[in-house]
Amino acid sequence: MKNLVVLFAGEMSPHGTQSLCSGPSAFERSIAAAVYPGASRVLVLISDTRYNGFPSPVSPSDIPEQLNDSLKTEVIHKPAWTPAVLWERLSRESQGFDNVIFQFADTPSIDPVLTAELIARHERYAAEYTFAEGYPVGLSPEILASGITQTLARLSAGQQGPVRRDGIFELIKKDINSFDIETIMSDQDMRHLRITLACDTRQGFLTCEALEGINGANAFKLANSRASLLRTRPAFYSIQVAGPCPVSCIHCPYPAYCLSGTSSSPKIDVRSRTDFMDPNAFFTLIDRIASFSHNAVVSLSLWGECALHPDIPALIEKVLSYPSLSVLIETTGLGWSQSSIEKIARIASASGPREQPVSPINWIVSLDACSASRWESLHTGLPPLSSADSLFSQALHTMESLCSRFPDSVWPQMIRMKDNEEELELFYRSWKEKLSRVIIQKHDHFCSTIQDRRVADLSPLVRRPCWHLGRDMSILIDGTVPLCREDLYAARSLGNALTDELEHIWNNGAPVYEQHLCGNYEGMCGACDEFYTFNF
């Protein structure tokens, strides 16, 4: 048995070379773990710059000298690695070897025992592809028979963009019945935890620190015993930048919230509000988000229609001034001028790529219907002298404008309800044909505070801690941070993001998350069915 070990460091974040738990970095640990059964050569793949144009944190001098004595270690530079470039090169480098052992070089928790079991199974059953199933991503490498690297080169021909962690399996899926595949199954399926043991973001780095000492035998027990530590930093910030919305939707609680009034604002129709988050306050908030979370998606669409904010291009430009941040806009499609869309497109183009493999801006246009009549039935309280047809046409026109300027980053969405179920199939098929992507969203009854319009209850039989409490922060227009998006009235405020430290606010939500870990779902949490949904 003669194995080639491939450590992919072509798109590594600086977190990969940062000291982990006051010891070696993830990169150093990956190098040290590369002495696998049958290994006779190690390739370390790096780039002069990461795929997105940021300087690589890795240089040949970072390769530990002691490996030169035990294994033949080589470094291969490329200006940028794409799937096509990667597999074309490995199809040549793997000649003369029995297998290729492939792993990302920012994974510090590779388990040598599990890896040895994978290699043994791969050899015993003469498999072409062997991987561990049900374990956290990054706990073991993937094993490939060298003969299939040419097939992967063919399947990836012309494929641009970054090399993704699920890239091998995604290629094999294209012709999965043509491969002999083996796997080792975890006794406890941990996929629902979405743990990735890689120092690719600040959140990932902190997760690796929290799970120091994890291996295949103790993974489930350790992850559960340290579950509270896996709530690292928010990765998704949903911010309300606009008070008004051009329509009052029957499936949304926000119009009723506006009509109820609060201690700081009078009762008002949602279409008549004129309040917006102050740009300077927003700019300061983004600075703090970048400092606290580093990597995050910032949504400008918590409540209200952000298109109506008079400075919306400037808000987007501020977020994109940080390469570690990206923007999500969920919109009705109403209120966008062509000049605003064009300006935002220029801002996105000038901002450059993100540190993570995501688009600078992702758009979700909540159309909810295929026909003007159905759209009208869902959006009540139409503005005076406006027809449903003209408004629906405007939303469709916005969709077309966005698709022409952001061709890979626009998603049509339907909130699936009893009220529009009959148009569901047409909506899905038509947009799937046009764009090859569509979002079908479940209706949210906001902990039974509004009418339940769900067609079916899709919540899991076994309840688990809420994803939103574990990774999201919602910020209202005045800076108030409610427990979560469901807490529209901020019955349980965690603080104010415009005046309080974000770390203090985040820590204030920890007790409720820890209650969830104990299976205790008090108050509004007990009536919520959004706990299993996951944002960008």
Side-chain angles (χ1 to χ4, degrees):
M1 181 173 60
K2 186 179 179 182
N3 294 332
L4 171 67
V5 180
V6 177
L7 300 179
F8 185 75
E11 295 151 15
M12 189 155 57
S13 158
H15 296 292
T17 55
Q18 183 179 344
S19 174
L20 189 68
C21 295
S22 301
S25 67
F27 183 64
E28 292 169 326
R29 296 179 192 218
S30 295
I31 292 283
V35 190
Y36 297 126
S40 59
R41 184 185 181 202
V42 177
L43 292 182
V44 182
L45 309 184
I46 67 176
S47 57
D48 298 323
T49 58
R50 284 182 275 160
Y51 85 94
N52 48 18
F54 293 96
S56 172
V58 179
S59 67
S61 62
D62 294 314
I63 311 300
E65 289 294 331
Q66 62 268 26
L67 267 184
N68 295 331
D69 298 329
S70 57
L71 287 174
K72 183 180 179 182
T73 305
E74 300 175 34
V75 177
I76 298 178
H77 288 83
K78 285 285 183 182
W81 290 94
T82 66
V85 171
L86 171 67
W87 291 109
E88 190 280 328
R89 183 61 182 261
L90 291 186
S91 69
R92 291 186 281 116
E93 297 290 346
S94 62
Q95 293 181 16
F97 291 89
D98 297 308
N99 304 302
V100 175
I101 302 174
F102 186 93
Q103 72 183 67
F104 279 74
D106 58 359
T107 50
S109 304
I110 296 293
D111 180 3
V113 175
L114 177 59
T115 301
E117 292 176 0
L118 283 171
I119 295 172
R121 179 178 288 265
H122 183 83
E123 289 289 326
R124 184 182 310 123
Y125 296 106
E128 293 179 302
Y129 175 54
T130 303
F131 66 103
E133 177 73 4
Y135 291 98
V137 175
L139 196 60
S140 63
E142 297 166 279
I143 320 296
L144 300 161
S146 61
I148 73 165
T149 56
Q150 292 183 358
T151 304
L152 296 182
R154 175 177 58 82
L155 292 173
S156 64
Q159 195 174 104
Q160 300 301 308
V163 176
R164 299 184 183 275
R165 295 183 193 274
D166 60 354
I168 294 178
F169 189 71
E170 288 300 312
L171 282 176
I172 287 177
K173 274 171 56 178
K174 292 183 177 182
D175 194 14
I176 196 167
N177 292 326
S178 298
F179 296 93
D180 291 323
I181 300 174
E182 285 293 328
T183 185
I184 291 179
M185 298 288 295
S186 171
D187 291 337
Q188 300 283 347
D189 190 349
M190 300 178 62
R191 289 174 297 180
H192 67 278
L193 298 176
R194 296 178 183 258
I195 295 174
T196 297
L197 296 168
C199 293
D200 54 344
T201 63
R202 177 171 293 177
Q203 293 87 343
F205 180 87
L206 293 174
T207 295
C208 289
E209 285 202 320
L211 294 179
E212 170 79 355
I214 192 172
N215 57 58
N218 71 7
F220 186 78
K221 182 177 180 181
L222 190 69
N224 278 304
S225 66
R226 301 181 185 178
S228 62
L229 299 178
L230 301 181
R231 184 179 183 268
T232 55
R233 293 285 192 277
F236 184 83
Y237 289 83
S238 190
I239 305 174
Q240 180 187 16
V241 298
C245 189
V247 288
S248 178
C249 305
I250 65 171
H251 50 275
C252 177
Y254 185 57
Y257 165 81
C258 295
L259 288 174
S260 68
T262 66
S263 58
S264 59
S265 62
K267 297 180 181 181
I268 191 170
D269 187 284
V270 66
R271 299 162 299 159
S272 301
R273 289 184 63 157
T274 58
D275 52 329
F276 302 97
M277 182 175 283
D278 177 71
N280 290 325
F282 179 84
F283 297 160
T284 300
L285 176 59
I286 295 303
D287 290 337
R288 299 169 68 192
I289 287 173
S291 175
F292 182 56
S293 286
H294 188 72
N295 300 96
V297 175
V298 178
S299 168
L300 306 183
S301 311
L302 177 57
W303 301 112
E305 174 53 75
C306 65
L308 303 179
H309 195 294
D311 298 303
I312 187 62
L315 304 189
I316 292 172
E317 186 172 30
K318 176 62 179 181
V319 178
L320 297 184
S321 69
Y322 287 96
S324 59
L325 302 180
S326 62
V327 174
L328 173 65
I329 294 177
E330 187 169 357
T331 174
T332 61
L334 305 177
W336 295 96
S337 67
Q338 289 304 303
S339 60
S340 179
I341 292 175
E342 290 170 1
K343 186 173 184 179
I344 293 169
R346 290 194 297 270
I347 289 170
S349 178
S351 70
R354 306 293 89 193
E355 288 185 3
Q356 294 300 302
V358 296
S359 300
I361 305 178
N362 277 295
W363 301 79
I364 298 176
V365 184
S366 194
L367 298 172
D368 303 322
C370 295
S371 62
S373 58
R374 180 63 62 192
W375 190 91
E376 180 182 8
S377 70
L378 300 175
H379 303 79
T380 59
L382 297 177
L385 304 179
S386 295
S387 69
D389 184 62
S390 64
L391 286 176
F392 186 58
S393 296
Q394 180 182 331
L396 292 176
H397 181 64
T398 297
M399 184 75 187
E400 293 173 0
S401 297
L402 292 174
C403 287
S404 67
R405 293 165 177 81
F406 305 89
D408 300 317
S409 307
V410 183
W411 302 75
Q413 176 177 273
M414 170 183 273
I415 298 178
R416 184 188 181 192
M417 298 171 282
K418 297 174 183 177
D419 308 77
N420 61 1
E421 177 71 2
E422 64 186 39
E423 290 193 357
L424 173 64
E425 183 176 358
L426 177 60
F427 186 92
Y428 180 86
R429 289 183 181 276
S430 61
W431 285 109
K432 194 73 173 177
E433 182 178 342
K434 291 176 183 177
L435 296 180
S436 299
R437 58 186 179 273
V438 62
I439 296 175
I440 304 299
Q441 179 79 280
K442 62 174 281 295
H443 178 247
D444 181 4
H445 55 70
F446 284 82
C447 307
S448 299
T449 59
I450 61 174
Q451 182 180 341
D452 186 353
R453 299 178 182 273
R454 293 176 300 172
V455 176
D457 183 356
L458 303 177
S459 55
L461 295 176
V462 177
R463 178 154 185 175
R464 303 193 185 280
C466 178
W467 279 113
H468 304 291
L469 291 181
R471 67 184 304 276
D472 298 358
M473 181 179 289
S474 298
I475 302 172
L476 299 175
I477 197 168
D478 63 354
T480 299
V481 178
L483 178 63
C484 66
R485 177 176 177 267
E486 304 297 292
D487 188 14
L488 174 57
Y489 292 84
R492 179 163 183 169
S493 172
L494 303 181
N496 190 293
L498 301 181
T499 57
D500 302 331
E501 292 295 328
L502 293 184
E503 183 173 9
H504 176 71
I505 295 171
W506 183 240
N507 291 339
N508 283 343
V512 180
Y513 186 72
E514 290 171 1
Q515 284 183 340
H516 282 213
L517 292 173
C518 297
N520 182 7
Y521 308 102
E522 295 181 351
M524 60 183 290
C525 294
C528 180
D529 79 330
E530 285 287 305
F531 62 90
Y532 66 95
T533 61
F534 195 88
N535 287 316
F536 277 74

